[in-house]
């Protein structure tokens, strides 16, 4: 009887395994290739939050290649400056700049938005990319859970503050990075203040990603006829620094599996780039795109129009300057 060890050590097993891994890795790439997209962004301005690393940096890199004026909205200016330098060197586009913003602080978001409104003549693309996952309970000075503030309330306020500039620059596109994990999310507005929240791995993250889609859809409804579109996307399961707050053992397991099955940050940027620049996505608004750039239905809660109005109004009230 042939033992398991004999089977897995056989050369044919090794060859078959390598072939399978090659197939799996090839399937991570969608059919839409950003480098084959002819869209030019000369004379256009784009803002990408969390652009100092991961998906955000590759989105910003793509926009810079297309000739856009790119603003990297980063919490850490030094890391943002290093990313901006790299983007300038690789793309040859020197119109790449860094502006500081801490999305967990409403005052920081307002200050950033005021600077943009004062200094920029137009805004054609806004990518709400920055996010955190796995953080323990922490309440911001505004009284919100830090994960909800960073992932949802901060980006919500930023988008709201920049709408007038985007309307004046139309056609313009808003793209919010969500996640397929929104399907495991729940809506409980007490979560915003860190109440009734289960802090376990990605539970809070899942909830924030659901709110992202709900409010993006309501933005889209309110922006009808303005020339500004708003969509949300799932980038795929991506190897980024998002899990840096998870336990070491969990990170190791995901890193090992991710070598073969997860997307790279560059691959994960594709769906957002598609929504931001492709001709195919022109005029589409209030939709949710999968990691292969296809339109898919989000979870039922994300399609509840009455819930969207309520969520939006609560977020407006919570982020208003009293």
């Amino acid at each position: 009887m042939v033992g398991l060890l004999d089977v897995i050590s056989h050369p044919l097993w090794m060859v078959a395994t390598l072939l399978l891994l090659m197939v799996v890795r090839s399937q991570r790439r969608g059919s839409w290739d950003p480098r084959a997209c002819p869209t030019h962004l000369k004379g256009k301005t784009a803002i990408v939050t969390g652009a100092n690393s991961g998906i955000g940096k590759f989105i910003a890199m793509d926009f810079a290649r297309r000739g856009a004026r790119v603003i990297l909205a980063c919490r850490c200016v030094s890391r943002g400056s290093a990313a901006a330098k790299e983007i300038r060197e690789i793309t040859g586009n020197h119109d790449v700049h860094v502006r500081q913003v801490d999305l967990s602080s409403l005052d920081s978001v307002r200050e950033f938005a005021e600077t943009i409104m004062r200094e920029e003549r137009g805004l054609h693309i806004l990518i709400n990319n920055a996010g955190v996952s796995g953080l323990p309970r922490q309440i911001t000075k505004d009284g919100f859970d830090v994960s909800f503030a960073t992932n949802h309330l901060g980006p919500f306020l930023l988008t709201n503050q920049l709408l007038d500039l985007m309307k004046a620059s139309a056609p313009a596109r808003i793209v919010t990075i969500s996640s397929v994990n929104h399907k495991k999310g729940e809506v409980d507005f007490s979560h915003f203040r860190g109440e009734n929240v289960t802090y376990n791995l990605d539970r809070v993250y899942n909830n924030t990603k659901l709110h992202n889609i709900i409010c993006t859809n309501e933005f889209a409804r309110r922006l009808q006829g303005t020339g500004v579109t708003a969509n949300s996307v799932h980038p795929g399961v991506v190897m980024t620094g998002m899990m840096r707050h998870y336990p070491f053992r969990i990170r190791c397991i995901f890193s090992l599996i991710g070598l073969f099955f997860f997307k790279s940050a560059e691959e994960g940027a594709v769906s957002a780039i598609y929504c931001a620049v492709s001709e195919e996505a022109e005029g589409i608004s209030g939709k949710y795109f999968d990691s292969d750039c296809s339109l898919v239905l989000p979870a039922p809660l994300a399609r509840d129009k009455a819930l969207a109005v309520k969520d939006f109004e609560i977020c407006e009230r919570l982020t208003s300057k009293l």
Side-chain angles (χ1 to χ4, degrees):
M1 185 175 180
V2 180
L4 178 61
L5 186 59
D6 294 322
V7 173
I8 62 176
S9 62
H10 194 281
L12 287 177
W13 174 272
M14 301 290 288
V15 171
T17 301
L18 288 172
L19 287 173
L20 176 61
L21 291 176
M22 290 174 64
V23 170
V24 169
R25 287 183 68 86
S26 68
Q27 291 301 309
R28 300 189 319 191
R29 291 185 176 273
S31 58
W32 189 79
D33 181 2
R35 293 181 181 269
C37 175
T39 301
H40 292 287
L41 297 176
K42 190 70 175 178
K44 308 291 186 181
T45 299
I47 293 176
V48 184
T49 67
N52 61 280
S53 64
I55 292 173
K57 186 169 79 171
F58 283 102
I59 294 172
M61 186 93 69
D62 179 272
F63 295 165
R65 283 196 182 102
R66 298 177 192 277
R69 173 178 171 81
V70 185
I71 297 172
L72 280 57
C74 304
R75 184 174 60 86
C76 179
V77 174
S78 61
R79 293 179 182 176
S81 297
K85 180 181 178 182
E86 180 183 350
I87 292 171
R88 294 188 202 106
E89 291 174 349
I90 291 175
T91 66
N93 182 348
H94 294 281
D95 202 4
V96 179
H97 310 273
V98 179
R99 297 289 183 272
Q100 199 276 336
V101 62
D102 179 356
L103 291 170
S104 70
S105 166
L106 299 187
D107 284 342
S108 178
V109 172
R110 292 190 189 97
E111 183 177 345
F112 172 87
E114 288 170 3
T115 300
I116 296 298
M117 296 291 287
R118 182 175 63 252
E119 296 182 353
E120 301 300 325
R121 290 177 295 178
L123 178 58
H124 307 86
I125 300 173
L126 171 63
I127 306 291
N128 290 313
N129 162 72
V132 295
S133 181
L135 288 176
R137 188 179 191 274
Q138 180 182 342
I139 303 302
T140 69
K141 67 175 183 179
D142 299 302
F144 303 122
D145 171 83
V146 67
S147 296
F148 275 92
T150 303
N151 292 1
H152 182 61
L153 291 173
F156 174 90
L157 175 61
L158 177 63
T159 303
N160 229 0
Q161 294 270 294
L162 296 177
L163 282 185
D164 287 344
L165 183 58
M166 298 198 78
K167 290 176 184 177
S169 309
R173 304 187 193 187
I174 300 165
V175 181
T176 297
I177 308 297
S178 181
S179 170
V180 70
N181 279 22
H182 80 274
K183 294 181 179 180
K184 297 186 289 183
E186 302 172 346
V187 174
D188 181 337
F189 297 112
S190 68
H191 288 171
F192 289 164
R193 298 194 179 277
E195 301 168 2
N196 304 312
V197 179
T198 301
Y199 290 89
N200 181 27
L201 296 179
D202 61 358
R203 288 286 295 275
V204 175
Y205 175 80
N206 300 342
N207 296 340
T208 64
K209 294 294 105 177
L210 175 57
H211 283 285
N212 284 167
I213 300 177
I214 292 172
C215 283
T216 298
N217 291 347
E218 182 61 13
F219 268 120
R221 187 186 72 80
R222 296 180 180 221
L223 288 167
Q224 288 177 3
T226 65
V228 181
T229 61
N231 294 294
S232 49
V233 304
H234 168 51
V237 184
V238 183
M239 291 285 287
T240 68
M242 181 66 77
M243 297 188 67
R244 61 187 176 275
H245 301 293
Y246 284 58
F248 178 74
R249 183 167 53 182
I250 299 295
R251 297 202 310 271
C252 287
I253 294 172
F254 269 73
S255 295
L256 181 61
I257 297 173
L259 288 174
F260 304 107
F261 297 100
F262 295 172
K263 290 188 174 188
S264 66
E266 184 173 11
E267 292 166 339
V270 171
S271 55
I273 295 170
Y274 174 85
C275 288
V277 306
S278 73
E279 292 182 358
E280 295 91 330
E282 185 177 354
I284 296 177
S285 193
K287 302 298 181 183
Y288 171 69
F289 289 80
D290 205 350
S291 58
D292 63 355
C293 305
S294 61
L295 281 169
V296 294
L297 282 176
L301 280 176
R303 308 196 302 269
D304 188 322
K305 295 180 180 180
L307 177 61
V309 172
K310 181 178 181 180
D311 198 341
F312 196 98
E313 290 177 348
I314 288 175
C315 290
E316 272 194 319
R317 186 166 67 250
L318 292 176
T319 58
S320 63
K321 195 168 185 178
L322 301 177

